[in-house]
Amino acid sequence: MSEKTHSDVPIRVGIVGLGYIGTTVGDEFDHHPQARVAAVCDVAESARTDAGEQFSVPMEARYEQYEEMLDGENLDAVLIGTPHTLHYGQVVAALERGLHVLCDKPLTTDFEQAKDLYERTLDADEVLMVGYQRHLNPAFVEARELWTESERTPRWITAEISQDWVDRFSGTWRANPDLSGGGYLYDTGSHILDAILWTTDLTPTAVRADMTFVDDEERVDERAELWIEFEEGANASVSVYGKTPCTREHIHIWDDEGAVYLDGREWEDRQLTEIDADSTTHAPYLGGRSHPNKAESFVRAIREGTAPPATPMDGLRVTAVTEAAYESARGDGDWVSVDL
């Protein structure tokens, strides 16, 4: 363990981007006994002021430009909560300065960039964690163990997520593809793709997609239908729709013995049910499982020198599938290979 992350010294965290992720996950660090928010950064002065007061950050540690913060402060780690297309450059800048990074999802909106970050961290001392919270949800942890710790193999997956995304985020950076990288699939849809890939641990090989776009340039999707083929022989059908009045999520994973259902509403924890071959439904008790937040998981990975719950490979896999889906939908809808 390096001197700067010794367990007796709180981990000094700088926050880049002071929107929802920066302030909510930043609050987790602010309340963690082994961490403290040492500096904040945002292009908006009002955001710097509000977050600076929220986390008791002195005026001289509130920055407009992230590189000035990285060079001007004695930090151990960085939380990145900026628009999607900015992630890559900011993660690289932090890693090159020897800092640990917790980056909001998606890791990047470009396959080659995601691959570069994965390769950078293969033998690195720095932790790079992606902010996919389903890796911390007991329902998904339990479901993943069912598939990865047994001889059972998923065969057929159906999944959907819906949200009032189009109306809610109209006029914001999420609807600006120069900042978001795409539309609903690259934003909320990223969560459901990650949930499928991580829970099943299947290897995607090809993707076919159909989308409805809200812009003439076909960059911002409101609806996406994906069909995914996996090396292990499984198939997935995924639907994401950003024009419903509320949020629902359903992931159903079947094999030769039964199924696992992961369902939920809004941003509550998802619920797990198991279905046997005789159509009997079970609801496992998950109350005994720990449910750490992102900051706790990130700090633990740094302190213990272990892999974080959501790794650069997780981010790479999601980006690979997402980019293939957009390529298919913007083309003629044919299958696009996924090469990891």
Side-chain angles (χ1 to χ4, degrees):
M1 184 178 294
S2 65
E3 181 179 352
K4 69 178 182 179
T5 56
H6 192 277
S7 59
D8 293 336
V9 180
I11 293 173
R12 296 158 293 198
V13 180
I15 304 176
V16 183
L18 298 170
Y20 177 77
I21 293 297
T23 53
T24 56
V25 181
D27 191 62
E28 295 173 5
F29 283 112
D30 190 49
H31 286 86
H32 196 292
Q34 297 181 27
R36 69 179 180 89
V37 178
V40 295
C41 173
D42 197 283
V43 295
E45 182 179 3
S46 59
R48 298 195 298 272
T49 298
D50 292 344
E53 293 176 356
Q54 178 181 353
F55 303 130
S56 301
V57 175
M59 288 293 299
E60 61 271 18
R62 306 176 188 179
Y63 293 83
E64 182 177 359
Q65 301 299 322
Y66 73 92
E67 289 184 318
E68 293 182 7
M69 183 187 77
L70 299 182
D71 291 333
E73 297 293 325
N74 185 19
L75 300 174
D76 303 310
V78 175
L79 164 64
I80 295 177
T82 55
H84 306 155
T85 61
L86 305 181
H87 290 176
Y88 175 73
Q90 293 166 350
V91 172
V92 168
L95 292 176
E96 288 182 343
R97 289 164 173 79
L99 303 178
H100 305 286
V101 181
L102 170 51
C103 180
D104 189 31
K105 62 80 200 162
L107 180 58
T108 75
T109 56
D110 178 90
F111 175 76
E112 293 300 327
Q113 290 179 351
K115 186 176 181 181
D116 176 64
L117 293 180
Y118 166 70
E119 292 175 346
R120 283 174 182 264
T121 56
L122 280 175
D123 299 312
D125 293 328
E126 293 78 28
V127 171
L128 173 55
M129 175 175 161
V130 189
Y132 285 122
Q133 65 263 26
R134 284 155 184 76
H135 296 220
L136 308 175
N137 186 303
F140 283 96
V141 174
E142 179 83 7
R144 175 178 165 84
E145 290 178 358
L146 174 66
W147 303 116
T148 61
E149 298 184 5
S150 72
E151 299 299 319
R152 297 175 64 174
T153 301
R155 301 296 184 190
W156 179 51
I157 303 159
T158 59
E160 66 177 63
I161 192 165
S162 61
Q163 184 185 5
D164 58 336
W165 186 88
V166 173
D167 293 337
R168 180 180 180 187
F169 294 113
S170 177
T172 72
W173 69 262
R174 296 181 189 275
N176 178 354
D178 292 333
L179 294 174
S180 64
Y184 187 55
L185 180 63
Y186 241 138
D187 196 25
T188 306
S190 184
H191 282 297
I192 202 164
L193 291 181
D194 167 71
I196 293 168
L197 296 171
W198 183 74
T199 303
T200 65
D201 201 31
L202 294 171
T203 306
T205 57
V207 178
R208 183 166 63 89
D210 179 75
M211 297 183 184
T212 301
F213 296 92
V214 300
D215 58 329
D216 293 336
E217 294 78 19
E218 296 190 344
R219 299 181 68 192
V220 180
D221 57 286
E222 68 176 21
R223 177 198 62 86
E225 307 285 341
L226 282 67
W227 297 268
I228 308 171
E229 292 184 342
F230 297 94
E231 183 178 291
E232 295 82 359
N235 294 274
S237 173
V238 183
S239 299
V240 304
Y241 188 46
K243 288 198 71 174
T244 58
C246 58
T247 300
R248 288 292 188 275
E249 179 178 330
H250 309 286
I251 300 175
H252 300 169
I253 308 169
W254 287 85
D255 69 359
D256 297 333
E257 299 181 30
V260 165
Y261 279 24
L262 295 150
D263 303 292
R265 64 181 184 180
E266 301 304 320
W267 307 117
E268 298 173 350
D269 282 349
R270 298 330 189 204
Q271 304 300 310
L272 170 68
T273 54
E274 298 178 14
I275 300 173
D276 291 342
D278 62 1
S279 200
T280 301
T281 300
H282 306 273
Y285 174 67
L286 303 177
R289 283 190 175 272
S290 63
H291 190 182
N293 61 36
K294 294 177 184 177
E296 291 170 337
S297 301
F298 184 57
V299 169
R300 181 179 301 131
I302 294 172
R303 295 297 194 200
E304 298 178 358
T306 55
T311 68
M313 174 52 78
D314 293 314
L316 173 61
R317 282 155 55 93
V318 173
T319 297
V321 170
T322 307
E323 289 290 274
Y326 279 116
E327 180 181 345
S328 175
R330 289 167 180 152
D332 51 17
D334 284 346
W335 290 96
V336 174
S337 298
V338 176
D339 185 10
L340 292 170

